[in-house]
Amino acid sequence: MTTKTTCRIAGDIDQLSRVQLEEVIRGLEPQGSKHGIDFVAAADSEFLKGSRALPSSPERLALLMSRLLDGECDALVLDAPLLPARLPSGLTIGALTRRITSVDAVVANDGCILDELPENALLATASLRREAQLRYYRPDLKIVRTQGSVDSMLQKVKGGSVDCAVLAAADVERLNKQEFVSELLTNQVCVPAAGQGALAVLIRSTEEQFRDVVQTINDAATHAMLRAEWSFLEHVGVDASAPVAVLASIEGKAIELEGMVAFPDGSEKILCMVKGAVGNEEDLGSTLAKEILDAGGREVIEEFRLA
């Protein structure tokens, strides 16, 4: 009887991360059975439980990736928008899962959409990217930047401490709470973060026994879209903390890439779009970055860096 190899997959310990981890394990289990590999959730690490760093923070991500590098797990599931521009030496992306809803969502009482919010309404969001774009679209809104889980954001709205919240639609969808969404925002209002809607599975670069199996859940179209989006960020020269956004879409053999930079106070927003052929993702990202920077984005980025 052949002994199966066990691949321990880890994620963060908050509810959303657990759901994302379970999604990946479900996708891998049928493939693992064909290759003699059991994919199991890794036991939570005590040092991670005791960490004061918030989920999704750079400090938390560094802990998770060090956990993988140190061999406490064999694969790590992360929300793709959280990936750093450069992975630590020794780690590689084994797979990017099929992207689900990539845009941002509005959660408000009584199904109220953004345009229906009263003047000076209080809006909660967790990112400068969203804040800058929403200030541009509705300068009257009073925006509160707040970190927290999907449930905590929903509770703020239901409890009346804010009039609405804007968060990633994919997060709400994965937690099966779509009934609370009153609107999905278009790019004209709020371009999403690079990678939003996809999950990344990281592995150690030397782990060839798991690489081939993990790659079976890699979605080629999602990988192409994210290559274009990450190329844009690389050539603009900022990370996910900046008021910069980008979204790629594929139709047939064509890829469309729309990018945005905005002043943090929402006083100006620059939106550009380029189109090209699938297979030229890196060049497309570079082209879009140049257009954005030449259209005034360079000044926006400089102001952000000096802030």
Side-chain angles (χ1 to χ4, degrees):
M1 184 175 179
T2 303
T3 302
K4 283 193 172 185
T5 301
T6 299
C7 180
R8 301 158 299 154
I9 309 184
D12 211 333
I13 58 177
D14 59 284
Q15 182 188 14
L16 178 60
S17 295
R18 289 180 183 276
V19 169
Q20 293 169 339
L21 176 62
E22 290 166 2
E23 178 182 324
V24 169
I25 291 177
R26 283 196 303 272
L28 285 171
E29 280 177 338
Q31 303 301 326
S33 63
K34 298 176 185 177
H35 295 82
I37 298 175
D38 277 331
F39 288 93
V40 299
D44 291 330
S45 171
E46 287 303 318
F47 79 81
L48 188 57
K49 280 185 174 180
S51 170
R52 294 185 178 182
L54 292 173
S56 304
S57 68
E59 297 80 11
R60 188 76 156 201
L61 292 175
L63 279 177
L64 288 164
M65 289 187 288
S66 68
R67 176 182 181 180
L68 174 58
L69 279 169
D70 292 344
E72 294 188 45
C73 61
D74 303 303
L76 175 64
V77 177
L78 293 176
D79 205 3
L82 301 179
L83 289 184
R86 293 185 182 277
L87 292 177
S89 177
L91 297 185
T92 189
I93 297 175
L96 292 169
T97 65
R98 183 186 64 82
R99 182 179 232 167
I100 61 173
T101 309
S102 58
V103 298
D104 287 322
V106 175
V107 173
N109 287 320
D110 302 321
C112 187
I113 66 174
L114 198 61
D115 286 346
E116 295 171 341
L117 290 174
E119 189 173 356
N120 299 318
L122 197 60
L123 182 150
T125 190
S127 78
L128 179 59
R129 169 189 62 81
R130 295 188 188 105
E131 180 179 351
Q133 294 183 86
L134 292 167
R135 287 188 186 279
Y136 179 83
Y137 186 75
R138 284 279 307 264
D140 64 292
L141 292 177
K142 306 302 180 185
I143 298 179
V144 178
R145 188 107 58 83
T146 178
Q147 299 296 326
S149 66
V150 171
D151 280 337
S152 68
M153 290 290 231
L154 293 176
Q155 190 54 50
K156 287 179 186 296
V157 175
K158 289 190 288 185
S161 59
V162 297
D163 296 297
C164 79
V166 176
L167 60 168
D171 294 350
V172 181
E173 184 176 337
R174 285 194 163 98
L175 293 172
N176 292 315
K177 296 182 183 292
Q178 298 97 312
E179 70 270 20
F180 296 104
V181 173
S182 56
E183 180 182 16
L184 296 178
L185 296 177
T186 67
N187 282 0
Q188 291 301 313
V189 178
C190 195
V191 182
Q196 192 162 301
L199 303 177
V201 185
L202 302 187
I203 57 174
R204 289 184 292 277
S205 306
T206 55
E207 292 289 352
E208 295 182 6
Q209 67 179 126
F210 299 135
R211 183 181 305 171
D212 291 344
V213 183
V214 169
Q215 285 180 344
T216 60
I217 64 167
N218 185 67
D219 184 77
T222 298
H223 214 134
M225 288 186 282
L226 269 57
R227 279 199 303 271
E229 294 170 13
W230 288 335
S231 174
F232 169 76
L233 290 184
E234 179 183 356
H235 287 91
V236 170
V238 296
D239 60 23
S241 65
V244 174
V246 60
L247 179 65
S249 57
I250 291 178
E251 186 171 344
K253 295 183 179 180
I255 183 168
E256 182 177 283
L257 190 63
E258 189 164 11
M260 183 285 310
V261 298
F263 281 110
D265 64 1
S267 59
E268 185 176 354
K269 173 181 173 180
I270 301 167
L271 192 66
C272 293
M273 179 193 297
V274 296
K275 297 181 180 181
V278 173
N280 298 314
E281 291 83 21
E282 286 80 6
D283 290 342
L284 203 62
S286 173
T287 298
L288 179 62
K290 185 177 186 305
E291 288 198 12
I292 287 267
L293 293 174
D294 290 347
R298 191 168 284 105
E299 289 75 13
V300 177
I301 298 301
E302 287 304 314
E303 178 170 307
F304 170 74
R305 286 174 175 158
L306 293 172

